[in-house]
């Protein structure tokens, strides 16, 4: 009996882990993690901004005429509303990355809804746009997220490639990201560090400076996530 129970629990545990963390899971909330493999296109995404360094990244993207997607935290948007506005003015997409960047494990549906709703309002107030995309902090999905996303009309977005750019140096970020990019890839990088003010994101920006010319030379179209997952946008 013990064996059967353990096997059943093991199965449930594995399903739970998959549902909460796997990039391809839509168990607790609908999400995508890549665009169509038929198009030679990909998307750069930046989480945890806006930060004091975001304008440097915006200038770099403008130099290369590249549009990206920024998953912003409401608290950071409230700290730097002008930077959030600048992101939109520069032709980029803003997605919702929650208000305070919590881990959603064991949080109530009302807590989850509140976090998503407050971030949505902060972005609307500062930047004048209503996000249609949501990236869960730490990639953690939890019961209650589906209803919260549905009520705010938010599609979840995970990633094809995660840069580990909070930990790695520039060279290692490039070495990690580049071989994993293929058609439809969504790359997750960071222009902030959760809610920290004045975070050091220099390695990320230098990695992007190296990556963009290589990706362009390979013929990739660099698009926003909405353009990538819904080509009529
Ligand atoms: Zn984050």
């Amino acid at each position: 009996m013990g064996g059967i129970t353990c096997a059943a629990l093991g199965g449930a545990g594995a399903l739970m882990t998959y549902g909460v963390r796997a990039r391809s899971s839509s168990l607790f909330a609908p999400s995508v993690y890549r665009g169509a493999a038929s198009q030679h296109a990909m998307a750069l995404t930046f989480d945890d901004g806006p930060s004091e360094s975001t304008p440097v990244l915006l200038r770099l993207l403008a130099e290369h005429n590249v549009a990206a997607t920024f998953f912003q935290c409401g608290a950071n948007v409230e700290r730097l509303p002008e930077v959030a506005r600048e992101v939109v003015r520069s032709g980029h997409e803003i997605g919702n990355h929650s208000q305070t960047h919590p881990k959603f494990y064991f949080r109530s549906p009302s807590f989850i809804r509140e976090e998503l709703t407050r971030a949505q309002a902060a972005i609307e107030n500062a930047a004048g746009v209503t996000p249609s995309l949501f990236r869960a902090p730490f990639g953690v999905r939890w019961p209650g997220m589906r209803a919260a996303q549905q009520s705010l009309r938010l599609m979840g977005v995970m990633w094809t490639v995660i840069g580990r750019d909070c930990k790695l140096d520039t060279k290692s970020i490039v070495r990690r990201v580049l071989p994993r990019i293929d058609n439809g890839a969504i790359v997750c990088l960071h222009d902030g560090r959760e809610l920290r003010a004045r975070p050091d994101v220099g390695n990320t920006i230098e990695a992007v400076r190296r990556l963009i010319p290589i990706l362009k030379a390979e013929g990739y179209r660099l698009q926003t996530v909405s353009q990538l997952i819904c080509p009529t946008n």
Side-chain angles (χ1 to χ4, degrees):
M1 177 223 149
I4 292 167
T5 308
C6 282
L9 283 175
L15 182 63
M16 193 70 185
T17 304
Y18 168 81
V20 173
R21 295 302 299 272
R23 64 182 187 176
S24 59
S25 161
S26 284
L27 191 62
F28 296 124
S31 72
V32 298
Y33 68 98
R34 59 176 312 123
S38 56
Q39 350 164 35
H40 197 44
M42 47 88 55
L44 293 175
T45 70
F46 299 96
D47 292 5
D48 295 15
S51 79
E52 290 75 1
S53 296
T54 304
V56 180
L57 181 58
L58 293 179
R59 280 195 292 278
L60 172 60
L61 295 172
E63 277 168 30
H64 292 280
N65 198 22
V66 164
T69 304
F70 291 78
F71 289 96
Q72 298 184 335
C73 294
N76 290 336
V77 171
E78 287 167 358
R79 191 176 88 246
L80 299 166
E82 178 53 38
V83 181
R85 261 193 296 283
E86 189 59 33
V87 168
V88 172
R89 268 202 301 263
S90 305
H92 305 293
E93 178 167 27
I94 295 186
N96 182 324
H97 196 43
S98 83
Q99 180 67 16
T100 66
H101 208 278
K103 290 193 171 81
F104 281 122
Y105 299 112
F106 303 109
R107 297 291 198 158
S108 68
S110 63
F111 176 88
I112 295 172
R113 178 187 289 252
E114 170 98 358
E115 276 284 328
L116 272 58
T117 304
R118 285 175 62 201
Q120 200 79 342
I123 293 164
E124 283 171 0
N125 290 339
V129 292
T130 304
S132 59
L133 306 175
F134 167 70
R135 176 169 282 155
F138 310 101
V140 171
R141 275 72 49 79
W142 198 254
M145 200 167 275
R146 178 184 296 275
Q149 281 182 219
Q150 267 169 358
S151 73
L152 296 168
R153 299 176 180 277
L154 290 167
M155 169 57 76
V157 178
M158 296 290 277
W159 50 80
T160 322
V161 184
I162 189 154
R164 300 203 196 288
D165 53 321
C166 301
K167 296 199 174 80
L168 298 178
D169 61 23
T170 299
K171 209 168 148 190
S172 306
I173 297 167
V174 173
R175 223 186 269 155
R176 178 182 163 78
V177 168
L178 210 47
R180 292 175 168 83
I181 290 178
D182 58 359
N183 284 1
I186 296 173
V187 179
C188 175
L189 297 165
H190 296 79
D191 64 325
R193 293 281 179 276
E194 302 184 24
L195 302 188
R196 236 172 287 158
R198 280 173 278 286
D200 180 4
V201 296
N203 288 348
T204 303
I205 292 174
E206 285 315 302
V208 172
R209 201 182 298 284
R210 293 184 201 180
L211 283 167
I212 290 178
I214 301 172
L215 294 169
K216 286 201 150 183
E218 291 179 1
Y220 282 103
R221 278 176 287 123
L222 278 70
Q223 300 182 315
T224 64
V225 170
S226 284
Q227 288 167 335
L228 189 76
I229 64 176
C230 184
T232 53
N233 279 355

